[in-house]
Amino acid sequence: MLEVSGLRAGYGLSQVLFDMHLKIEQGEVVSLIGRNGMGKTTTVKSIMGLLKPSAGSVRINGKEMRGKQPFHIAQAGLGLVPEGRRAFGSLSVRENLLATASRASRWDLTRIYQLFPRLEERQQQLSKTLSGGEQQMLVVGRALMTGPQLLILDEATEGLAPIIRETIWNCLTTLKAEGETILVIDKNLKEMARVVDRHHIIEKGRQVWEGTPQQLAASPDLSHRYLGV
Ligand SMILES: Nc1ncnc2c1ncn2[C@@H]1O[C@H](COP(=O)(O)OP(=O)(O)OP(=O)(O)O)[C@@H](O)[C@H]1O
Ligand SMILES: [Mg+2]
């Protein structure tokens, strides 16, 4: 579905990605993990066309998309829940969801409300009055409404209360069972192990390891070296 290879990118003179690799097959749930500032968000921005990579390749369903406009990347099937969640604050929950609805999407309001009953209860409320957890549910719902072939979540549960984190992980488990393809960035390895098929570790702009949660759990030296845990 998505294949990133040899990706280089940065901001002005400061290079952040040196040799990023990432491969996601249809129906897989994979993670991108690594310590703060290692280039996870930069990788996502480069994939989504929000940042122009200087070299490498971003293939979506076999087609080279590196350097294409974000609009074209979205059209090619990628949906992003960005770091630091942003809903359209002056729209209601329902309006937010309908704003990004695509006719081709497998997702509609009914299915989103099944996934997040809380959003249905709050559907008339302005999104800026939602709690942090509800806002995260809303931006996930909004991304699904675009009908993505690959859903990318950058810091899926950062800053959320444990019970809300649980809601987000349960949602990802449901999405996986329904065959969705997901790339998730998060810092909670334990919760992630329940849902991801493979982890990718990034260190200073390079993919340095790839393997299953079981393999990672069996190598404490890896977690210590690259994740600081
Ligand atoms: N807009 C920017 N301009 C200049 N440097 C930036 C910019 N955004 C990020 N960087 C730098 O690029 C490096 C990688 O940042 P990035 O946000 O990709 O890290 P990350 O792995 O997502 O970290 P975190 O876990 O904190 O979200 C960092 O050194 C950061 O300071
Ligand atoms: Mg980040």
Side-chain angles (χ1 to χ4, degrees):
M1 203 285 94
L2 175 71
E3 188 167 3
V4 170
S5 57
L7 202 63
R8 288 164 165 259
Y11 306 92
L13 290 176
S14 96
Q15 193 175 344
V16 173
L17 300 183
F18 293 88
D19 183 23
M20 214 21 223
H21 292 259
L22 206 59
K23 196 172 174 181
I24 306 168
E25 305 285 357
Q26 172 131 21
E28 271 189 321
V29 178
V30 306
S31 83
L32 179 57
I33 52 181
R35 282 178 302 206
N36 292 116
M38 289 298 158
K40 301 180 296 295
T41 298
T42 305
T43 300
V44 166
K45 282 189 189 163
S46 303
I47 292 171
M48 294 304 298
L50 298 164
L51 191 65
K52 289 236 181 300
S54 58
S57 151
V58 176
R59 287 181 176 273
I60 302 176
N61 291 320
K63 199 168 166 221
E64 183 54 59
M65 298 296 281
R66 170 167 77 94
K68 290 271 198 300
Q69 295 290 325
F71 167 78
H72 289 120
I73 306 286
Q75 250 187 359
L78 270 53
L80 172 67
V81 175
E83 195 174 30
R85 40 185 169 278
R86 248 156 292 157
F88 306 127
S90 54
L91 296 184
S92 70
V93 165
R94 189 167 182 279
E95 287 165 343
N96 256 283
L97 290 170
L98 292 175
T100 58
S102 151
R103 241 185 301 165
S105 178
R106 306 173 292 292
W107 293 86
D108 56 17
L109 272 183
T110 311
R111 283 191 71 202
I112 298 293
Y113 289 157
Q114 275 169 3
L115 192 64
F116 297 121
R118 186 81 73 90
L119 292 183
E120 184 166 22
E121 291 163 24
R122 303 261 186 275
Q123 62 174 315
Q124 303 300 347
Q125 204 168 310
L126 290 187
S127 69
K128 63 183 166 203
T129 65
L130 296 177
S131 74
E134 291 162 350
Q135 296 218 7
Q136 184 68 338
M137 294 176 206
L138 179 56
V139 287
V140 171
R142 212 177 50 174
L144 289 171
M145 289 293 275
T146 67
Q149 289 178 49
L150 169 65
L151 178 66
I152 303 177
L153 298 106
D154 192 358
E155 301 298 350
T157 68
E158 190 182 35
L160 302 181
I163 184 146
I164 306 293
R165 288 217 295 258
E166 190 63 25
T167 304
I168 300 293
W169 292 118
N170 288 342
C171 148
L172 294 186
T173 306
T174 304
L175 294 178
K176 181 184 182 174
E178 297 194 5
E180 300 285 342
T181 311
I182 301 170
L183 170 63
V184 58
I185 296 174
D186 201 88
K187 306 223 158 64
N188 299 279
L189 288 177
K190 220 160 115 196
E191 285 98 331
M192 270 181 151
R194 278 173 31 204
V195 46
V196 309
D197 298 304
R198 267 181 311 115
H199 286 303
H200 296 88
I201 299 183
I202 178 173
E203 164 89 355
K204 296 186 185 151
R206 288 185 172 84
Q207 196 230 80
V208 289
W209 187 83
E210 156 178 14
T212 64
Q214 293 76 7
Q215 288 169 328
L216 183 62
S219 336
D221 51 316
L222 266 180
S223 314
H224 184 70
R225 184 159 156 209
Y226 295 126
L227 308 171
V229 294

